[in-house]
Amino acid sequence: MRRAALTTLALAIMLAPLGASSGNGFGTLERRLEAALHAKPLHPHLLGFAALMGRMFDRRQAAGLHLAIFPAPGAVDVRQLAAGALPADWMRMVYSRDNNDGEQALIYVRQRSRNSFQMLILAFDPQGSDNDSGGKDGDGPQVVLMSLNVNPAQLMQQAEQRRR
Amino acid sequence: MPRRPLYFLLLLLLAAPLWVRAQQQPQLKLDLPGLAAQADQVSEVTLDGPVLRLGLAFISSDATGVSPQERDLLTRLKGIYVRSYEFKHLVVLSPADLADLATLRRQLRGGGWTRIVNVHSRREGETDEVYLRTSPGGNSILGLVVISLQPDEVDLVNIVGDIQPSELAALGGHLGIPSLSNAPAGKKH
């Protein structure tokens, strides 16, 4: 009995990493950014609630929306920040960089199910956020991490409905 | 049975999948790091596997204006790789950049690759090259590479998939690929 319990426990410990969701790339990358940038992220208030309300009215609204904004100490390379942080099922789809001001964007995608994908966007904004007058609030450079689930068929349905 | 031929046979059997894969893989190393460091805007798009299916899922809707034939072609693609380097000024290729381009072109010599378009315009300062990799029987195209050098932009496109020769024209004008309908092969200006 004791041997069976120990065996089960050992098996559970060995298999636990396999059960851990590789889908939570947002959390993984968020922790990596916290460590690399030595800063806590800002999570916009009520974003989750707003997304939930949106989905109550229209289930085709993007789900799994998470946003974290980090102050950056200066210029950063988002590829280096993300390098090796995500499991192999995440694939880099787009990388874009403006060498004039250092603005960068990385987009990773992972398939969740046959019709659903998870998208991670990691961006570096060297000038911080815009204020309502079109100027800059002087927030300084920021690294923005966003995650959302995408169902292309539903999105296109929505776009088609709006077009009509 | 003697041991030595058996060992060779075993080695061959183990290595064969790697050799076959190498021969069949028309995806190339496209990056030009020197140009990436100099360019004002760098864009890298990699669509393959599930990521390609995501992109194709968006165009499967009738709203996108993609014809059924074009959609069928796109669903047979296995990978789309684009590297684009934009400059605010005239591009000046350094010896290192030229070496990187030479390395890329070396990948396109032999191994089933053929250059079908080589157009250079002195007046516009533009060079366009298109390479195709065909299946052993020549019935379909397994890969396509476009190298486009413009005065203020360098674009590289690699498409991997099963493309019928008659469908080549449909790809022209998309994804940075120049029009292929009337381009003669190997013509220089």
Side-chain angles (χ1 to χ4, degrees):
Chain A
M1 175 81 178
R2 189 173 157 199
R3 182 181 288 181
L6 283 173
T7 307
T8 305
L9 182 62
L11 212 54
I13 290 169
M14 278 193 311
L15 292 175
L18 294 177
S21 171
S22 69
N24 193 8
F26 182 87
T28 305
L29 207 40
E30 189 182 26
R31 285 188 290 278
R32 162 72 76 91
L33 292 173
E34 248 185 79
L37 300 172
H38 306 291
K40 289 284 184 193
L42 170 70
H43 297 109
H45 297 300
L46 301 177
L47 182 64
F49 179 71
L52 176 64
M53 293 305 291
R55 281 180 61 75
M56 283 174 65
F57 286 103
D58 186 344
R59 288 200 60 79
R60 292 166 301 184
Q61 294 287 338
L65 189 61
H66 300 282
L67 182 63
I69 302 171
F70 294 82
V76 298
D77 185 331
V78 292
R79 290 174 302 174
Q80 280 183 4
L81 287 177
L86 295 170
D89 56 344
W90 283 97
M91 293 182 202
R92 192 169 96 179
M93 186 166 84
V94 173
Y95 170 66
S96 160
R97 183 174 84 235
D98 185 331
N99 278 336
N100 289 317
D101 60 9
E103 188 173 335
Q104 300 156 56
L106 255 185
I107 301 179
Y108 286 90
V109 171
R110 184 189 80 93
Q111 188 163 17
R112 295 174 73 232
S113 67
R114 191 165 168 269
N115 296 318
S116 174
F117 294 82
Q118 191 175 2
M119 191 178 277
L120 267 180
I121 301 166
L122 177 62
F124 171 65
D125 179 0
Q127 294 170 17
S129 56
D130 295 333
N131 60 29
D132 290 338
S133 309
K136 298 291 180 187
D137 277 338
D139 289 349
Q142 292 177 337
V143 172
V144 178
L145 176 64
M146 185 163 76
S147 162
L148 68 159
N149 298 335
V150 178
N151 184 316
Q154 283 182 355
L155 268 182
M156 291 310 294
Q157 256 178 27
Q158 204 177 12
E160 179 61 9
Q161 265 191 347
R162 287 184 181 166
R163 192 176 68 88
R164 288 186 195 148
Chain B
M1 189 176 180
R3 274 190 188 170
R4 185 172 291 182
L6 196 58
Y7 289 149
F8 277 125
L9 183 61
L10 192 61
L11 201 61
L12 201 60
L13 285 171
L14 288 172
L18 294 173
W19 180 84
V20 167
R21 184 178 160 82
Q23 292 298 306
Q24 292 183 344
Q25 185 55 266
Q27 180 201 339
L28 304 161
K29 191 173 179 313
L30 283 189
D31 300 302
L32 300 178
L35 273 184
Q38 291 175 59
D40 288 290
Q41 294 269 358
V42 176
S43 300
E44 297 176 4
V45 177
T46 301
L47 302 176
D48 54 19
V51 181
L52 181 59
R53 285 197 286 281
L54 170 65
L56 292 176
F58 277 106
I59 64 160
S60 64
S61 158
D62 292 333
T64 57
V66 175
S67 71
Q69 293 81 6
E70 288 167 337
R71 207 173 297 142
D72 177 59
L73 166 60
L74 291 169
T75 54
R76 279 184 274 113
L77 297 182
K78 295 189 177 102
I80 300 172
Y81 310 90
V82 181
R83 302 290 181 264
S84 177
Y85 309 96
E86 293 176 45
F87 297 78
K88 283 186 179 167
H89 49 82
L90 292 177
V91 181
V92 177
L93 296 175
S94 68
D97 299 328
L98 291 170
D100 286 339
L101 279 170
T103 302
L104 172 59
R105 290 190 178 104
R106 262 198 300 277
Q107 297 177 75
L108 301 169
R109 277 196 216 120
W113 288 101
T114 309
R115 188 168 64 185
I116 63 159
V117 172
N118 181 22
V119 176
H120 175 65
S121 169
R122 269 206 196 98
R123 187 181 60 200
E124 293 170 14
E126 184 172 331
T127 301
D128 290 313
E129 296 168 69
V130 179
Y131 297 79
L132 293 184
R133 179 173 177 165
T134 53
S135 59
N139 297 326
S140 64
I141 296 159
L142 302 176
L144 179 148
V145 168
V146 176
I147 301 174
S148 176
L149 306 176
Q150 298 166 48
D152 58 354
E153 189 170 332
V154 174
D155 297 313
L156 308 172
V157 178
N158 178 205
I159 296 179
V160 180
D162 179 14
I163 308 165
Q164 296 302 308
S166 57
E167 293 168 326
L168 263 187
L171 282 174
H174 301 288
L175 304 169
I177 301 168
S179 172
L180 298 170
S181 51
N182 297 317
K187 188 174 177 179
K188 287 189 180 179
H189 295 282

